[in-house]
Amino acid sequence: MTNSVLIVLLLSLAINITVGGYFRILAKNQYEPVAFNFWASSCFVYCLGLLGSALAISAPGISALGAVAGLLYLTASFLLLHGFLSFNIQCVRSTVKRTGNRVFVFAVLFIVGVSWYPDLVEPATSFFIALMFLFCFQSFQSQQWKTIQGVSVLLRGILFIHFIIMMARAGLTTGATHYGLASNLQLFITICVGLHVLLCLATSALLPFIILSKEKGEWEAMANFDELTGVFGRRAFIRTVLKRLKSKSRRPFTLLVIDIDFFKAINDNYGHPEGDKVLKSVAQCLQEQLREGDIIGRLGGEEFGVIISHQQPHHAYAIADRLRESVSALSILSGSESINVTISVGMSSSNNVEDTWNTLFDRADKELYNAKKGGRNKVSPEFVAETKLA
């Protein structure tokens, strides 16, 4: 049985060296270098742990070798966790990182403290490694990561399987000597190491797919969203309108074309950086006032578009007027001065099956002209709103 354990250890050693080298190549080519350096280090430290285990098997009289190997395995899982934490930092809960760090420090102290009791080192190490895999699982929130469908779920599944295996190993090694399970335990450890090899290969195969899909998501975001304001760009907004027009349900909706009044004067008086601040503030204000399902985009310059779903035209007017009032209440600081802005809004409802983007926009643009001609800070056409929407 000892020979079979050594064979599996050597196989795992060869695979982890290969995978670690593969991760280092990806890091050098600037593919998420921080994350892949962590993952490469995890593989190499795990290899040191395998060497420590091999020495412990060859020299059973040196009990400290088992504790050293356990600490190396624990460190490898800790580095794996930090690879995930650094891969997409905006999606990571800070509590996961803090808890992971504290557990690692406690685990190191605990394993060092029980190193004189070899029967406790193995279950303690397995337990703390299981916790590290659980933290990896928690840090990898599938609904937040922009990945190819199914890949993120599969990777989370692999991490959770690792957690289950290490917890089972911790449970079986606890008191194994007292219950005469030592022979069966060696078989189980061999199986665990073998499963680790398979899971390591699966993980190394999945991570590059996640990188590609993450980059794809970033490119799509750059193409779909306006960099300054964070709302949809012109093309993405028009594409959304076209989808609404082609939808079989064809629920009524209204296109609002919104223009910031006297925006050129703001740029001339305060400078373009302050003009950009006004654009961002207005976009944020409009976005905060919209309901779920309403969509906003920047059509260009100081002009925004909004799609409002509604049941009656006066409902759309009530929302448009609420947007106007919210913007007029804004006070945007520029040094010691305060910039007050207003908007003019043109409305065009889609009630005709023959409507296109051009017909909708042309009608809304004409109404925007009427709102400006009528004195600005207005919504056109005007409706008598029966009730203001909350």
Side-chain angles (χ1 to χ4, degrees), residues 49 58 61 72 78 115 124 139 185 198 224 253 255 282-283 316 324 351 384 388:
S58 303
L72 289 169
F78 182 67
S115 59
S139 71
L185 187 60
L198 295 176
N224 289 334
F253 69 91
L255 170 67
V282 170
R324 181 193 62 78
N351 297 315
V384 177
K388 289 274 183 179

Side-chain angles (χ1 to χ4, degrees), residues 203-223:
T203 303
S204 62
L206 287 174
L207 289 175
F209 281 102
I210 291 175
I211 290 175
L212 291 174
S213 53
K214 182 191 173 190
E215 290 181 348
K216 179 184 175 185
E218 290 172 349
W219 295 334
E220 288 177 349
M222 290 175 63

Side-chain angles (χ1 to χ4, degrees), residues 294-310:
D294 297 338
I295 297 169
I296 180 173
R298 185 183 177 193
L299 301 180
E302 70 273 25
E303 193 170 73
F304 295 89
V306 171
I307 300 173
I308 293 175
S309 301
H310 60 83

Side-chain angles (χ1 to χ4, degrees), residues 139-164:
S139 71
F140 196 87
Q141 298 297 317
S142 60
Q143 70 272 19
Q144 294 175 319
W145 289 57
K146 296 173 181 176
T147 56
I148 299 172
Q149 187 176 9
V151 174
S152 61
V153 175
L154 184 56
L155 185 52
R156 292 184 85 211
I158 289 173
L159 293 170
F160 193 72
I161 291 171
H162 247 128
F163 163 71
I164 295 296

Side-chain angles (χ1 to χ4, degrees), residues 77-142:
S77 63
F78 182 67
L79 292 170
L80 178 72
L81 170 62
H82 273 268
F84 283 116
L85 292 175
S86 63
F87 184 60
N88 205 355
I89 194 67
Q90 67 268 27
C91 295
V92 173
R93 299 176 186 174
S94 59
T95 52
V96 174
K97 185 174 183 178
R98 286 199 304 269
T99 306
N101 291 341
R102 290 169 182 171
V103 168
F104 175 73
V105 173
F106 176 80
V108 170
L109 295 175
F110 186 86
I111 293 171
V112 171
V114 301
S115 59
W116 301 107
Y117 305 94
D119 291 347
L120 293 178
V121 171
E122 176 66 27
T125 303
S126 298
F127 173 74
F128 288 119
I129 290 174
L131 291 183
M132 290 299 159
F133 279 112
L134 182 61
F135 295 144
C136 290
F137 173 83
Q138 290 177 330
S139 71
F140 196 87
Q141 298 297 317
S142 60

